Amino acid sequence: MSAASLTDREFSQFQRFIYDAAGITMSNGKQALVSGRLAKRLAHHRLANYGDYLQLLHSRRDPAELQIAVDLLTTNETYFFREPKHFNLLRELAIRHVGDAREKGRALRVWSAASSSGEEAYSIAMVLADVCGNGPGHAPWEVLGTDISTRMLQRARNGHYPTERASQMPHDYLKRFCLRGQGSEEGTMLIDRALRQRVQFQHVNLNEPLPKLGVFDVIFLRNVMIYFNLDTKRQVVARLLAQLRPGGHLLIGHSETLNDINDTLSVVAPSIYRKDKQ
């Protein structure tokens, strides 16, 4: 079967599909990305063109295929300790939490809300394990990573990465929390099992009502709002703020802003916001 070409009409239908499914606004000019990522699905189902694949998705007779399409059409680019000043702030907050007698026994909870393949969530966990400890008798902490892509979540749970993803990781963290691959696994690394077990990953669509996740001290919502239109950004931020503890911090990407999205937060620094205490 020769490779099918993606028509402008089909591309616009995929733009609508990913917006309806995930709230993501796919910009024009991404035809090559869409056709490249979905070509194998056409071959898998022995379909002649992308219109037939769209028909399969819209029929909803195969829910698993809907998730596969969402997985393939969501962009996932990340690495460890991206935007270091956020992790410097996290360290300061963790030190403050450990030293506050009034917080004794309460877990410090951090949410990586668009965790992709897990690098952000594990970076958070490394800082908390370093400051709070990672064993009996230490200050309790929890890290939750969520994403819309089940494929990325499975990679995150595996905790196995190319070593180049760790170029921004502090060297002592690399030695303490990662195992270097040997032989056929050379050039890769595995997050230490003890740390992997401290991070929970869950499938969550930020564009829908959230499941019961509890409240958090810090929420990372970085480099995801660039894919949303203004109305979707407002809805997503409102959902997350309902899960943020008064006095807690919301961190967004350096290229993002909450201007015209939410005016209830105090600006601590560019890309760093705090929810005022009631």
Side-chain angles (χ1 to χ4, degrees), residues 151-164:
R151 180 173 54 103
M152 288 295 120
L153 288 169
Q154 190 52 54
R155 286 191 194 176
R157 292 184 184 104
N158 292 339
H160 188 212
Y161 302 98
T163 307
E164 68 233 24

